[in-house]
């Protein structure tokens, strides 16, 4: 009986692996098609001039929750305020910070409390007060102070309640945005009323040099943990999301950077305040709303780097992040199980969610059980080592090809880095990732599943910013601790789903 079970399990693993490889090949092809097709979204001088001068250019609110961000808050708010777009505001939500985050904002941006008719369109933890600057150069900045809600979703909802414009960007206050981030991502929405969300490409700010909120030198991280995540993010955006976007089946728009139609988000009920995977949860809610009311929709991944974020610098912080993501993934599937295999919800119900369930949610469990079975069979002497070696090198070669396609796509878009050795460093990390990094991600995901199934309360957690290497203008320095060289962090909330 035992031999029959192992025999059956071996076939399950074989067909599962073949299905995964085939899906990667299809996504790689779709990603290249998507990059070629979406070149029309390149920001030309003509397009930029139209946006800058037209009275019909729509306003955009940048919503950035902040919780205990004293090391990076000033530099990053300067980055958000530095957008080269004619009509925008920056809504920073101080989500009950216990450090000097709010004090630094008040001091550096000359903020004062002002009367504000705060309307709770979406329920959140209690709103306290609102600040605006007394200096004209910071007139676009709004700071909302509220009680801690325990999740980013709750803070974003408070930011939406206080925002003014019809479109908004959901980002993290630890993110550095390119100056043309809004201009690049608003184009699909200006071209088609069907576009409800747009994702820009994100990368790691760890290792980069930043001056006054602007990336001045692009470099890959120099410490292992964020270096592995660099390839993970590139794979997610340049193959995963670009591929899904080509068939309008995006699984999520990253919580680190995404542009949304505010009317659709509000109509869908806003973000689930208790969600630990708010990026995927929100896309499901938006698509569900559009399908329920027979509204055409489109979600686009633009092939342009728009955001750099500090990734977890060490295993401890990575553990907190990935267990939360695992918790949020199971939470999302349980909450939205009615969408799964439901043809009413089009690509989302029939393609995206089944894929994410089979090849992402179940993957850590299948990998863990498969490893235990392999160890048992190796100890009992039933492994055909010649066949195992052939399979291993075949899969390893495919991983190398996948990494090469990712780097080729990056180079096609203008390149994340300026030196060949930077690409070689990232490629080297990709080659050892299956042995030194991926096992931790598998275990952390399983721990997140376990936390959810045992009803252990999810915790947002402190992401422990290290700051970025560089300097800020005098008088705007904030906490000098934020000027130390950065080893590394995440999508502050970037959930790299679809990772692929």
């Amino acid at each position: 009986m035992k031999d029959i079970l192992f025999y059956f399990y071996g076939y399950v693993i074989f067909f599962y692996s073949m299905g995964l490889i085939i899906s990667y090949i299809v996504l790689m092809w779709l990603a290249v098609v998507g990059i070629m097709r979406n070149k029309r979204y390149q920001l030309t001088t003509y397009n930029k001039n139209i946006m800058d001068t037209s009275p019909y250019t729509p306003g955009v609110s940048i919503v950035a929750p902040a919780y205990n961000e004293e090391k990076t808050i000033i530099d990053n708010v300067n980055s958000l305020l530095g957008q080269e777009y004619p009509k925008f505001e920056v809504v920073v939500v101080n989500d009950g910070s216990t450090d000097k985050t709010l004090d630094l904002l008040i001091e550096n941006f000359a903020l004062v409390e002002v009367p504000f008719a705060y309307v709770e369109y979406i329920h959140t933890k209690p709103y306290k007060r609102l600040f605006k600057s007394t200096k004209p150069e910071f007139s676009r900045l709004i700071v909302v102070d509220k009680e801690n809600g325990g999740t980013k979703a709750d803070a974003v909802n408070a930011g939406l309640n206080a925002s003014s414009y019809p479109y908004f960007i959901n980002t993290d206050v630890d993110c550095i945005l390119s100056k043309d981030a809004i201009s690049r991502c608003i184009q699909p929405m200006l071209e088609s009323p069907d576009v409800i969300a747009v994702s820009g490409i994100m990368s790691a700010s760890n290792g980069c040099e930043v001056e006054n909120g602007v990336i001045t030198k692009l470099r890959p991280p120099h410490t292992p943990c964020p270096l592995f995540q660099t390839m993970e993010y590139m794979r997610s955006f340049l193959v995963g999301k670009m591929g899904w976007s080509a068939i309008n089946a995006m699984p999520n728009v990253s919580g680190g950077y995404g542009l949304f139609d505010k009317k659709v988000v509000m109509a869908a009920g806003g973000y689930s305040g208790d969600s630990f995977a708010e990026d995927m949860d929100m896309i499901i809610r938006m698509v569900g709303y559009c399908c329920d009311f027979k509204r055409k929709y489109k979600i686009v991944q633009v092939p342009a780097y728009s955001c750099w974020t500090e990734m977890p610098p060490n295993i401890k912080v990575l553990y907190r992040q990935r267990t939360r993501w695992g918790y949020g993934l199971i939470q999302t599937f349980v909450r939205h199980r009615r969408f799964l295999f439901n043809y009413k919800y089009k690509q989302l119900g029939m393609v995206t969610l089944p894929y994410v369930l089979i090849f992402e949610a179940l993957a850590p469990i299948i990998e863990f059980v498969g490893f235990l079975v392999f160890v048992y069979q190796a100890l009992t002497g039933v492994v055909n080592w010649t066949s195992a070696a052939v399979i291993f090198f075949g899969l390893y070669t495919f991983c190398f090809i996948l990494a090469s396609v990712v780097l080729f796509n990056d180079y096609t878009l203008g390149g994340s880095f300026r030196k060949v050795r930077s690409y070689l460093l990232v490629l080297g990390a990709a080659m050892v990732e299956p042995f030194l990094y991926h096992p931790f991600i598998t275990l952390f995901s399983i721990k997140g599943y376990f936390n959810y199934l045992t009803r252990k309360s999810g915790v947002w957690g402190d992401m422990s910013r290290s700051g970025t290497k560089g300097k800020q203008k005098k008088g705007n320095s904030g906490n000098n601790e934020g000027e130390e060289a950065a080893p590394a962090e995440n999508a502050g909330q970037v959930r790299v789903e679809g990772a692929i």
Side-chain angles (χ1 to χ4, degrees):
M1 182 65 180
K2 178 178 64 178
D3 291 338
I4 294 176
L5 289 175
F6 283 146
Y7 187 76
F8 175 75
Y9 187 76
Y11 271 101
V12 170
I13 293 296
F14 174 79
F15 286 111
Y16 183 88
S17 300
M18 288 300 101
L20 187 60
I21 289 173
I22 291 171
S23 68
Y24 281 174
I25 293 172
V26 172
L27 283 172
M28 283 190 282
W29 176 72
L30 289 173
V32 173
V33 171
I35 290 173
M36 296 298 106
R37 180 189 300 170
N38 291 339
K39 278 190 173 181
R40 69 181 186 275
Y41 293 139
Q42 290 180 348
L43 187 61
T44 64
T45 303
Y46 176 78
N47 290 345
K48 185 69 168 62
N49 185 58
I50 292 295
M51 289 185 202
D52 290 344
T53 58
S54 173
Y56 301 106
T57 299
V60 177
S61 301
I62 301 176
V63 179
Y67 176 73
N68 290 353
E69 304 281 357
E70 63 179 12
K71 288 187 178 182
T72 60
I73 188 67
I74 304 305
D75 203 28
N76 295 132
V77 171
N78 279 328
S79 170
L80 299 179
L81 290 169
Q83 286 294 293
E84 295 177 347
Y85 188 77
K87 189 186 296 184
F88 74 96
E89 65 181 359
V90 175
V91 183
V92 176
V93 182
N94 179 50
D95 194 27
S97 296
T98 57
D99 64 359
K100 296 180 181 179
T101 297
L102 183 58
D103 294 335
L104 288 172
L105 286 169
I106 292 172
E107 176 187 349
N108 283 268
F109 297 105
L111 301 179
V112 295
E113 184 177 349
V114 297
F116 182 77
Y118 180 85
V119 179
E120 195 176 64
Y121 299 104
I122 308 171
H123 177 68
T124 69
K125 288 293 184 179
Y127 158 88
K128 293 182 179 178
R129 50 189 173 163
L130 184 139
F131 295 88
K132 288 190 176 182
S133 178
T134 57
K135 294 184 177 180
E137 60 266 37
F138 302 132
S139 61
R140 299 180 189 272
L141 178 62
I142 298 170
V143 175
V144 176
D145 187 28
K146 64 178 286 291
E147 292 184 10
N148 182 262
T151 66
K152 180 185 176 182
D154 187 76
V156 174
N157 284 337
L160 291 181
N161 289 336
S163 64
S164 305
Y165 293 129
Y167 299 100
F168 76 94
I169 286 175
N170 177 13
T171 187
D172 295 304
V173 81
D174 71 301
C175 291
I176 303 290
L177 304 187
S178 64
K179 287 184 174 294
D180 58 2
I182 298 179
S183 301
R184 286 181 177 275
C185 291
I186 197 71
Q187 288 189 93
M189 290 184 163
L190 297 179
E191 289 188 10
S192 172
D194 297 338
V195 177
I196 61 174
V198 179
S199 171
I201 298 176
M202 296 184 62
S203 189
S205 64
N206 313 85
C208 296
E209 291 187 4
V210 179
E211 185 171 349
N212 197 38
V214 178
I215 300 283
T216 57
K217 190 171 184 179
L218 290 170
R219 296 187 306 185
H222 294 150
T223 51
C225 197
L227 182 60
F228 286 128
Q229 292 169 81
T230 298
M231 171 51 72
E232 186 181 19
Y233 273 54
M234 293 173 77
R235 190 166 57 232
S236 172
F237 284 95
L238 297 175
V239 172
K241 293 184 189 297
M242 284 304 310
W244 289 119
S245 177
I247 59 172
N248 196 27
M250 288 268 286
N252 79 312
V253 172
S254 173
Y257 182 83
L259 179 64
F260 298 85
D261 185 324
K262 182 179 171 182
K263 288 188 299 184
V264 177
V265 170
M266 301 295 263
Y271 288 83
S272 297
D274 61 346
S275 174
F276 284 87
E278 85 288 337
D279 47 1
M280 186 177 184
D281 177 85
M282 189 69 254
I283 288 299
I284 293 175
R285 290 159 68 87
M286 292 174 74
V287 172
Y289 165 78
C290 290
C291 291
D292 286 340
F293 290 93
K294 296 179 169 46
R295 182 195 191 280
K296 292 182 179 180
Y297 71 91
K298 190 175 182 181
I299 302 169
V300 176
Q301 172 69 54
V302 294
Y305 279 90
S306 304
C307 177
W308 287 261
T309 184
E310 191 185 348
M311 296 183 181
N314 52 52
I315 289 294
K316 181 179 179 180
V317 180
L318 184 69
Y319 165 79
R320 288 200 296 264
Q321 181 196 73
R322 298 310 171 95
T323 53
R324 187 180 73 240
W325 289 5
Y327 185 104
L329 184 60
I330 299 301
Q331 178 191 52
T332 300
F333 269 105
V334 171
R335 178 169 294 170
H336 299 297
R337 56 189 178 275
R338 69 185 179 92
F339 291 87
L340 193 62
F341 297 108
N342 190 333
Y343 69 89
K344 177 181 178 181
Y345 299 105
K346 302 180 181 180
Q347 292 97 318
L348 176 72
M350 299 304 294
V351 179
T352 308
L353 290 182
Y355 176 90
V356 173
L357 174 64
I358 296 170
F359 292 117
E360 290 190 26
L362 294 180
I365 298 172
I366 292 175
E367 289 179 28
F368 183 71
V369 173
F371 176 76
L372 295 180
V373 170
F374 176 78
V375 170
Y376 173 80
Q377 291 182 330
L379 293 176
T380 55
V382 298
V383 174
N384 184 325
W385 291 104
T386 301
S387 298
V390 170
I391 294 172
F392 170 79
F393 283 110
L395 292 174
Y396 193 74
T397 299
F398 179 78
C399 290
F400 177 80
I401 293 172
L402 176 60
S404 300
V405 170
V406 169
L407 295 179
F408 173 77
N409 287 350
D410 178 85
Y411 181 78
T412 300
L413 296 176
S416 295
F417 312 113
R418 300 294 176 260
K419 296 181 179 180
V420 173
R421 67 184 180 187
S422 296
Y423 281 101
L424 293 178
L425 183 63
V426 175
L427 182 60
M431 293 300 94
V432 297
E433 177 188 357
F435 315 108
L436 302 181
Y437 176 74
H438 188 72
F440 288 104
I441 298 303
T442 299
L443 293 174
F444 297 163
S445 297
I446 292 174
K447 181 60 165 60
Y449 299 170
F450 179 79
N451 287 350
Y452 181 84
L453 295 175
T454 56
R455 300 183 183 278
K456 181 178 180 179
S457 298
V459 178
W460 187 248
D462 183 1
M463 293 310 295
S464 304
R465 311 299 183 202
S466 300
T468 48
K469 184 177 181 180
K471 55 187 177 180
Q472 301 169 339
K473 291 181 180 179
K474 188 175 181 181
N476 227 18
S477 59
N479 186 339
N480 289 333
E481 293 179 23
E483 295 178 9
E484 62 192 30
E489 183 243 314
N490 142 274
Q493 178 24 51
V494 139
R495 172 169 172 71
V496 185
E497 287 142 89
I500 274 177

